[in-house]
Amino acid sequence: MEFNEKLQELRKNKGLTQEELAEILFVSRTAISKWESGRGYPNIESLKAIAKLFSITVDELLSGEELLNIAEQDNKQRENHIRDLIFGLLDISALSLLFLPFFAQKTDDIIKAVSLLSLTSISPYLKVIYFCVVGFLVLYGILTLALQTNEHTFWVLNKSKISLILNLVLILLFIISLQPYAAIFLFIFLIIKIFLLLKNR
């Protein structure tokens, strides 16, 4: 008997609805429905809770192959969580451009390194664009950290791509406006992100 069939049988024998089981396990009813229809498996913690609730062992719940699938899925989920955490923190780190001297400012034939907040030698419009794009990247980093558990298909498939695109736009903006140090700073972030994506494939 497969895991989904065992779970359904155990739940019915105990007289529980999917909603009641979901409440006991602190998961959504959709998760229970997914598990019982064979479209997915619970994580290791949920498996332990299920085994404890029905007074059986995890081995009695799963076949060896199913256990391997769950371990692999759990490992993948952990890797994605770490990647999202790093992506979010890197995006938020773009905030340091406001305070660190990565921008060239020419005054009296002397070029000084200043922060974005202290930069006055560029047009106000360009400075506003800098602030907007940096602010958007930082907000996106906060969003990435806040929505780590979101499983919406669009978000799961595109969150890393959006981060890379924002990072790239900011790099190109700094290169075009002749701010190489700020561009290099963000290029390092871009390389780290690409490395993490390639490593997780």
Side-chain angles (χ1 to χ4, degrees):
M1 194 185 287
E2 296 293 313
F3 167 76
N4 59 313
E5 296 167 324
K6 286 179 193 170
L7 180 61
Q8 201 168 12
E9 188 180 280
L10 288 165
R11 175 179 63 76
K12 286 177 179 174
N13 289 345
K14 198 146 179 131
L16 296 171
T17 64
Q18 286 187 341
E19 287 86 355
E20 289 168 337
L21 181 59
E23 280 178 32
I24 294 167
L25 298 175
F26 302 105
V27 296
S28 66
R29 193 206 64 78
T30 313
I32 302 293
S33 173
K34 193 167 89 171
W35 300 342
E36 287 192 357
S37 61
R39 290 180 289 119
Y41 293 99
N43 62 26
I44 301 292
E45 293 309 311
S46 294
L47 272 175
K48 288 178 186 173
I50 292 167
K52 186 176 178 184
L53 175 67
F54 296 115
S55 305
I56 56 173
T57 65
V58 173
D59 288 341
E60 288 175 279
L61 268 176
L62 300 161
S63 68
E65 191 178 322
E66 287 174 324
L67 196 55
L68 283 173
N69 285 341
I70 290 172
E72 191 176 300
Q73 181 182 311
D74 222 38
N75 192 37
K76 186 79 174 162
Q77 214 169 20
R78 198 175 299 111
E79 283 177 6
N80 288 341
H81 176 73
I82 291 167
R83 187 195 63 217
D84 289 349
L85 184 67
I86 295 170
F87 267 56
L89 291 173
L90 286 173
D91 289 344
I92 292 169
S93 296
L95 193 63
S96 61
L97 289 168
L98 299 179
F99 310 104
L100 296 176
F102 284 116
F103 296 87
Q105 178 162 276
K106 190 174 181 181
T107 48
D108 302 325
D109 295 329
I110 298 170
I111 297 176
K112 290 188 339 185
V114 296
S115 68
L116 184 53
L117 287 173
S118 306
L119 188 61
T120 56
S121 64
I122 60 169
S123 76
Y125 301 111
L126 186 57
K127 193 167 181 179
V128 167
I129 292 170
Y130 282 173
F131 272 106
C132 288
V133 183
V134 168
F136 199 68
L137 185 62
V138 170
L139 286 175
Y140 190 76
I142 293 167
L143 192 66
T144 301
L145 294 179
L147 297 178
Q148 278 189 319
T149 55
N150 188 314
E151 292 182 12
H152 189 276
T153 308
F154 177 82
W155 178 249
V156 170
L157 293 175
N158 296 299
K159 60 186 169 185
S160 299
K161 293 175 193 167
I162 294 169
S163 177
L164 288 172
I165 289 166
L166 286 172
N167 205 146
L168 194 57
V169 165
L170 205 47
I171 290 168
L172 292 173
L173 177 64
F174 289 145
I175 289 171
I176 290 166
S177 58
L178 304 176
Q179 296 293 348
Y181 297 123
I184 289 167
F185 178 68
L186 289 173
F187 185 71
I188 292 167
F189 288 2
L190 185 66
I191 294 298
I192 293 169
K193 289 176 184 180
I194 290 169
F195 174 76
L196 285 171
L197 284 176
L198 292 174
K199 187 175 177 254
N200 281 3
R201 290 197 184 253

